[in-house]
């Protein structure tokens, strides 16, 4: 399916940009007229993925984080968050709840668990030494369509 | 992100406001811990009424404060959690560690 709207972001892996990244994706998503809950879910999942790039991918060194987001005509948003950092040797282990390689920072190790619970699909592609791409997907139940549907029934 | 701290008798109250993420959590953590270490309270109340966003960094913040209070024989109470924040807290099982008010 061809995307009906697309956007691309590239920004420094500074922690101050976590807020910028989730807010920018949320603003793009507003075209689908999401509910407040859907918007918060996407913002939270993006925040987790971007924080992973900064804390784990680049280990606090300044490099670039890349985000692309595509909206499809069936009201789906697909967001790719990519770093060119250290990569993950064992993706399965990294996705286990409470697993973290940065306990001294009080990371709860729940980033992927949060992403999986708030989004419909979470995919992780990683190559050690080359980087990691996290793909987040969510179907947005448009408030407008929901209203039409409800008023018909 | 800001935190206002009130110390009264054996209780430290921390009123958090704004967006709680990895970027803002560090400063908040330092301010809370400084007050807790100074006054050694029986209970630490974290108030989330004015928190507009929180990701798993907030979970880390609560878990860390829970450990700190546990070492001192005290407890952590989470108060005024907005619905989306309650959702993330429960997802992490924090309702088993801390009291929700």
């Amino acid at each position: 399916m061809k995307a009906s709207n697309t956007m691309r972001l590239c920004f420094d892996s500074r922690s101050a940009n976590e807020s910028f990244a989730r807010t920018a994706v949320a603003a793009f998503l507003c075209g689908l007229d999401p509910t407040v809950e859907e918007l918060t879910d996407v913002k939270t999942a993006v925040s987790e993925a971007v924080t992973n790039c900064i804390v784990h991918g680049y280990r606090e060194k300044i490099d670039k984080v890349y985000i692309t987001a595509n909206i499809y005509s069936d009201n789906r948003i697909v967001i790719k968050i990519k770093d060119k950092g250290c990569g993950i040797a064992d993706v399965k282990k990294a996705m286990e709840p409470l697993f973290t390689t940065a306990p001294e920072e009080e990371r709860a190790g729940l980033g992927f668990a949060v992403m999986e619970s708030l989004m419909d699909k979470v995919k992780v592609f990683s190559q050690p030494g080359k980087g990691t791409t996290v793909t987040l997907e969510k179907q947005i139940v448009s408030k407008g369509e929901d209203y039409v549907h409800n008023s018909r029934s | 992100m800001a935190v206002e701290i009130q110390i009264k008798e054996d209780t430290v109250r921390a009123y958090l406001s704004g967006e709680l993420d990895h970027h803002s959590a560090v400063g908040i953590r330092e301010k809370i811990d400084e007050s807790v270490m100074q006054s050694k309270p029986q209970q630490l109340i974290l108030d989330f009424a004015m928190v507009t966003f929180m990701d798993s960094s907030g979970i880390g913040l609560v878990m860390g404060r829970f450990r700190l209070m546990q070492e001192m024989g005290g407890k952590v109470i989470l108060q005024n959690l907005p619905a989306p924040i309650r959702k993330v807290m429960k997802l992490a099982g924090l309702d088993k560690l801390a009291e929700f008010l």
Side-chain angles (χ1 to χ4, degrees):
Chain A
M1 190 183 290
K2 198 169 173 281
S4 60
N5 197 8
T6 65
M7 73 98 160
R8 243 172 229 222
L9 287 177
C10 171
F11 54 91
D12 286 355
S13 59
R14 298 176 194 278
S15 63
N17 284 334
E18 290 156 8
S19 167
F20 160 72
R22 63 178 178 259
T23 308
V25 174
F28 178 69
L29 178 64
C30 278
L32 281 181
D33 195 20
T35 62
V36 174
E37 189 178 4
E38 287 166 339
L39 202 58
T40 306
D41 288 351
V42 171
K43 269 176 90 171
T44 310
V46 169
S47 195
E48 299 294 351
V50 170
T51 303
N52 278 350
C53 298
I54 294 170
V55 176
H56 302 292
Y58 292 125
R59 302 196 171 144
E60 313 275 356
K61 282 189 192 140
I62 304 304
D63 208 308
K64 299 288 178 199
V65 178
Y66 307 85
I67 297 183
T68 60
N70 291 338
I71 285 174
Y72 294 93
S73 54
D74 58 352
N75 269 21
R76 250 179 331 122
I77 184 161
V78 179
I79 307 153
K80 287 188 186 210
I81 297 125
K82 177 179 162 185
D83 68 62
K84 294 181 179 173
C86 66
I88 306 168
D90 187 343
V91 171
K92 206 176 156 198
K93 183 139 192 89
M95 290 182 81
E96 281 175 12
L98 304 176
F99 177 82
T100 182
T101 51
E104 71 286 354
E105 281 214 39
E106 288 197 346
R107 305 301 308 157
L110 288 169
F112 280 121
V114 168
M115 285 183 243
E116 285 182 319
S117 119
L118 301 178
M119 303 296 284
D120 297 335
K121 281 186 199 165
V122 178
K123 279 186 247 168
V124 182
F125 176 74
S126 191
Q127 286 179 292
K130 288 190 173 172
T132 302
T133 302
V134 171
T135 307
L136 306 171
E137 185 174 329
K138 192 173 180 75
Q139 185 86 38
I140 300 300
V141 182
S142 162
K143 277 185 293 189
E145 288 195 3
D146 199 32
Y147 174 76
V148 171
H149 178 74
N150 285 338
S151 60
R152 274 185 200 141
S153 57
Chain B
M1 180 93 212
V3 60
E4 192 192 315
I5 293 179
Q6 290 178 5
I7 304 170
K8 203 176 173 187
E9 292 162 9
D10 61 353
T11 302
V12 169
R13 283 188 168 79
Y15 295 89
L16 309 168
S17 60
E19 302 203 328
L20 179 51
D21 62 7
H22 157 251
H23 179 68
S24 64
V26 184
I28 298 298
R29 181 172 82 199
E30 284 170 1
K31 282 185 188 163
I32 295 173
D33 286 4
E34 199 185 303
S35 301
V36 167
M37 295 313 284
Q38 269 175 14
S39 59
K40 307 249 185 309
Q42 279 300 300
Q43 54 181 10
L44 168 65
I45 300 178
L46 301 175
D47 188 295
F48 286 81
M50 302 298 281
V51 179
T52 51
F53 173 84
M54 190 193 86
D55 63 16
S56 71
S57 308
I59 300 172
L61 182 85
V62 172
M63 284 168 72
R65 306 296 70 65
F66 172 78
R67 274 193 291 269
L68 182 66
M69 288 303 292
Q70 201 180 29
E71 280 169 22
M72 298 192 300
K75 61 177 180 177
V76 177
I77 296 171
L78 307 180
Q79 142 178 313
N80 295 324
L81 298 173
I85 293 178
R86 183 176 285 260
K87 183 171 162 182
V88 176
M89 294 279 191
K90 282 202 165 176
L91 178 82
L94 287 183
D95 43 338
K96 294 179 190 79
L97 285 187
E99 210 174 305
F100 282 28
L101 279 187

